[in-house]
Amino acid sequence: MPKLVVLLVEQNILHLLILYKTTSFTYDSNTTKPDPLKMANSAPPPPAAPSPASKLVRIIVVVILALIVLLGLAVLITWLIIKPKQLVYRIDSASVHNFNLKNNHLNATFDLLIKAHNPNSRISVYYDPIEVSVAYDGQTIAFNTLEPFHQPRRNVTRLDATLVARDAALSGALSRDFRVQKKSGNIGLDVRIKARIRFKVGIFKLKHHTLRISCSPVKVQMSSLKNFETASCDLDW
C-alpha cells in the first residue's frame, strides 16, 4: 500500500509537472505578458510624414502668395514714383456758321476749341486720329477726324475742330427745337470725342487705351457777340 500510494503520488506529481511545462510553453510562445511600467512610460507614435504631393502643393501656394505680394509692392512703388493724374478736357469755345434748316434738313458749320490738359510730370500721351462729333438729342448731326499728335508732360494743347453738317435729316420735333433755340441765340449740343491713346513713362510706351470724352451741354453760340460758357467734359476709359 505505501508503495502504491507513493507511485500514485509520484505519477500524479509527474502528470502535474508535464501539464505545467506544457501550459508554460504554450503561454510563452503565443502571448507576451504586458509590462505596466513600460506601458506607462511609452511615447505616442510619431505622426505620419507628409506626402511629396502635399509638399509640392504647399510650395506652389507659397510661391503664388510671394508673387502677389511682390507685384503689389511693385505697383505701389511705381504709383508713388509716377503719381499719375487724370487728363482734363473742356470746350473753351463753340460757335455755328452758315446755319440753314429747311425741310427738316440741316446745313451748318460748327467750330469748336477743345482744350486738352496733361498735368502729369512723368507721363506723356500719344494720340491716334481723334474722332469728334456733335449730337443733338442723341442724334449725330456733324462729324470730323483730327490729326494724331503727341502731348508732352505738363502740357496744354488746344485743338481746333471744324465739323460740317450736310443735309442732316432731322425729325419734325428736332427741327422745331432747333428753331426755338436758334431764336434764343445758342443751341445746346453734345460734343463727343473718341481716340486711342498710349501713355509713355520714361522710355516705356504702354498699351493702347480707348479714350471716350463726353461734353454736355455745350451751348453753341449763334452770334460771336455773346460770351461763351466753357463746358467741362467727362472721361470714360
Side-chain angles (χ1 to χ4, degrees), residues 126 196-200 204-210:
Y126 286 86
R196 283 175 59 78
I197 64 174
R198 293 181 71 181
F199 294 109
K200 183 180 180 181
F204 300 102
K205 287 185 180 180
L206 307 183
K207 66 178 183 178
H208 278 92
H209 293 273
T210 299

Side-chain angles (χ1 to χ4, degrees), residues 46-167:
S51 64
S54 63
K55 288 183 179 180
L56 180 60
V57 171
R58 290 181 181 177
I59 292 173
I60 293 174
V61 171
V62 171
V63 170
I64 292 175
L65 291 176
L67 290 176
I68 293 174
V69 172
L70 291 176
L71 181 61
L73 288 175
V75 171
L76 177 61
I77 293 172
T78 303
W79 185 85
L80 291 175
I81 293 174
I82 298 175
K83 295 181 180 179
K85 298 178 181 178
Q86 182 72 278
L87 302 177
V88 180
Y89 301 88
R90 75 181 189 191
I91 307 297
D92 277 351
S93 176
S95 60
V96 59
H97 307 284
N98 304 321
F99 186 90
N100 183 16
L101 180 57
K102 186 177 181 180
N103 298 327
N104 296 338
H105 283 75
L106 174 66
N107 289 276
T109 301
F110 300 93
D111 293 324
L112 306 176
L113 179 59
I114 305 168
K115 177 183 176 181
H117 179 205
N118 175 18
N120 293 283
S121 59
R122 299 179 182 273
I123 303 174
S124 61
V125 188
Y126 286 86
Y127 289 82
D128 286 353
I130 304 169
E131 301 175 0
V132 183
S133 63
V134 171
Y136 182 79
D137 197 21
Q139 178 179 344
T140 301
I141 56 179
F143 177 88
N144 199 0
T145 302
L146 306 183
E147 294 293 326
F149 71 97
H150 170 245
Q151 186 173 31
R153 298 168 292 178
R154 288 182 176 175
N155 173 264
V156 175
T157 300
R158 288 177 170 83
L159 305 172
D160 291 316
T162 300
L163 292 75
V164 179
R166 293 188 176 89
D167 289 328

